Amino acid sequence: MTELKDRTTAPPEPPPALGLVGWLRWAWRQLTSMKTALVLLFLLALGAVPGSLIPQTGVDPIKVTDFLEEHRTLGPIYDKLGLFDVYKSAWFSAIYLLLFISLIGCVVPRLGVYLKALRARPPKPPRNLNRLTGYRSFTVDAPGDVLEVATRELKKRRFRVQAYDGAVAAERGYLREAGNLLFHFSLILALIGVAWGSLFGYRGTVLVVVGNGFSNSLAQYDDFAPGRVFSEDALPPFSLTVKDFEARFQLDGPQRGAAREFNAQLTYQETPDAPEQSYDLRVNHPLKLDGSSVYLLGHGYAPKVTVRDGEGKVAFSGPAPFLPQDGNFSSFGVVKAPDARPAQLGFEGFFLPTAVIDDRGPVSVFPDDLDPKLVMTAYYGRPQPETGKPESVYQLDKTKLTQFEENDDKLRFLMAPGETKVLPDKLGSITFDGYSRWVKLQVSHTPGTDLALAGILLAILGLMGSLFVHPRRTWVRVRTEDGRTVVEVAGLDRGPERGLGDELQAVTDTLRPDPPNPQEKP
């Protein structure tokens, strides 16, 4: 009986440990791979979506505040995730920096390979040219100057030509890889432009009542979002005044009430000593001042009211900007008179440009000022000491105020321009003197815009080169077979083969002295 041999094999040895350097090298290769760059580019585009859908602090802090008040559960979560300031959040910056590093690590080595390929000679013809898709062959009585003619013809077709023993090799289409490299370098250029604007630029908004002015200083802005390394000294010293504002709305038809045109007439000075100039500020037609742009973002109404206290003194007088709440410009706002005596006064309510009273109560049915009314509620309270804490001019703190009552009911009243409402208990009065308009202006300076735009244009140019330029190789070889001289013409196209056959046929027709023989191999 034959003894069975033990066929048990030893377990495979474990792979060697990479070590710290090996893991770092592996992580670098993963980061600089094209697949990772595409994933990061997708994540960057995906991360920008909340910046378009969710109110941003740098654009409209009032909407951010309203969102937090309306969404008491979701709002704090968004705030912790940085969704109210997406482009300055840690996670967006991390994606941005990783994409920047990935593109540089991916493109720089490829540039070295490309430069080496530019200096390389076209390769020798393969041994079996007849195995290529594009192949032509014919016989001639004597080789003569076939290779010289082939060299001239290929150079005329923008090939780079290299002569070998009994053959000519030609290659073209180097711009394809140049287009790829240009595309990726352009992305880096665009990222640098965006980063430059984010670091050294600024953006601020201000609400200006018609007839009032604005000076480009930090204290004048309602909200201001500077770049990370922006200096207040870099603000250009211009000033402007809103002289007038005109708005035109659709009066009839299915789009009744839609905005058709609105523009603000400005006067401005680029420096305090510069002459005053005029400008018609319209949507998408900003005013350019010393590298900064002034945009018209919105408009609304500012009722002019006069508040007198119980002692008959004027506690407040002037326009109070009200903020639109709907497409018909039903606008909410407040009027504060903290210095009124013997009790401080406060008012909140709605300005209705075209007021009607229906089952919903007083509402506006058209955005233009056809029948303006002011609907207000009034509050009073004990005078409070100044705390120095900033307060919103669009909200009334009612924690220490009491609403007026009249005839055992909460006081609410409707006023037309010129009317006065006397408050109960001889605590004062409020007069609706009229109304004005206000415009919301955005002043921004983004120094890297031109650089980012140039990057995008170059990226399009590089993408076109990589799509429409096809690397091609062509060989012409002369050999002797059975006492005959055979000329072989073959080509290889790394892109679509369309057009390769026509080009090879044209080269063949140039080299062939006689009309083609139907029995020869095409």
Side-chain angles (χ1 to χ4, degrees), residues 122-283:
K124 293 181 179 181
R127 178 177 299 178
N128 298 313
L129 288 177
N130 57 353
R131 293 184 179 179
L132 298 179
T133 305
Y135 178 76
R136 301 287 187 275
S137 69
F138 57 92
T139 60
V140 294
D141 295 333
D145 57 352
V146 171
L147 295 182
E148 294 181 7
V149 174
T151 300
R152 290 196 300 269
E153 179 66 19
L154 291 170
K155 285 183 177 180
K156 188 170 66 174
R157 294 179 178 274
R158 303 187 305 278
F159 279 88
R160 191 172 64 177
V161 180
Q162 177 67 40
Y164 291 98
D165 186 17
V168 170
E171 188 173 20
R172 76 176 185 188
Y174 295 96
L175 288 179
R176 180 184 179 90
E177 182 61 17
N180 273 326
L181 292 173
L182 179 62
F183 175 77
H184 291 92
F185 271 115
S186 300
L187 291 181
I188 297 174
L189 190 66
L191 290 176
I192 292 175
V194 174
W196 186 11
S198 178
L199 291 174
F200 295 96
Y202 71 88
R203 181 178 61 227
T205 59
V206 59
L207 188 149
V208 183
V209 178
V210 172
N212 293 348
F214 164 77
S215 297
N216 192 31
S217 62
L218 201 58
Q220 293 270 310
Y221 284 98
D222 295 332
D223 59 85
F224 190 80
R228 295 185 182 275
V229 295
F230 176 79
S231 173
E232 182 181 350
D233 297 334
L235 286 173
F238 67 83
S239 61
L240 57 86
T241 301
V242 181
K243 291 295 186 180
D244 195 10
F245 179 81
E246 296 179 358
R248 186 170 61 87
F249 301 93
Q250 183 73 27
L251 297 176
D252 51 19
Q255 293 188 338
R256 182 178 184 272
R260 287 292 172 257
E261 181 183 1
F262 48 90
N263 54 74
Q265 287 77 45
L266 308 179
T267 59
Y268 66 92
Q269 292 177 285
E270 296 196 41
T271 61
D273 299 330
E276 190 175 77
Q277 303 181 63
S278 300
Y279 189 79
D280 187 12
L281 186 65
R282 294 172 291 162
V283 177

Side-chain angles (χ1 to χ4, degrees), residues 320-361:
F322 280 37
L323 302 180
Q325 304 296 305
D326 56 30
N328 288 323
F329 276 70
S330 298
S331 305
F332 177 80
V334 301
V335 177
K336 300 179 182 180
D339 297 329
R341 296 295 182 268
Q344 65 168 323
L345 301 175
F347 305 85
E348 70 176 10
F350 287 88
F351 175 82
L352 308 175
T354 304
V356 298
I357 300 177
D358 55 17
D359 54 355
R360 297 171 295 174

Side-chain angles (χ1 to χ4, degrees), residues 413-427:
F413 49 92
L414 179 70
M415 304 173 66
E419 293 183 352
T420 298
K421 175 63 179 180
V422 178
L423 301 175
D425 302 326
K426 298 181 180 181
L427 290 181

Side-chain angles (χ1 to χ4, degrees), residues 9 13 153 248-249 258 307 432:
T9 58
E13 295 182 2
E153 179 66 19
R248 186 170 61 87
F249 301 93
V307 178
F432 183 17

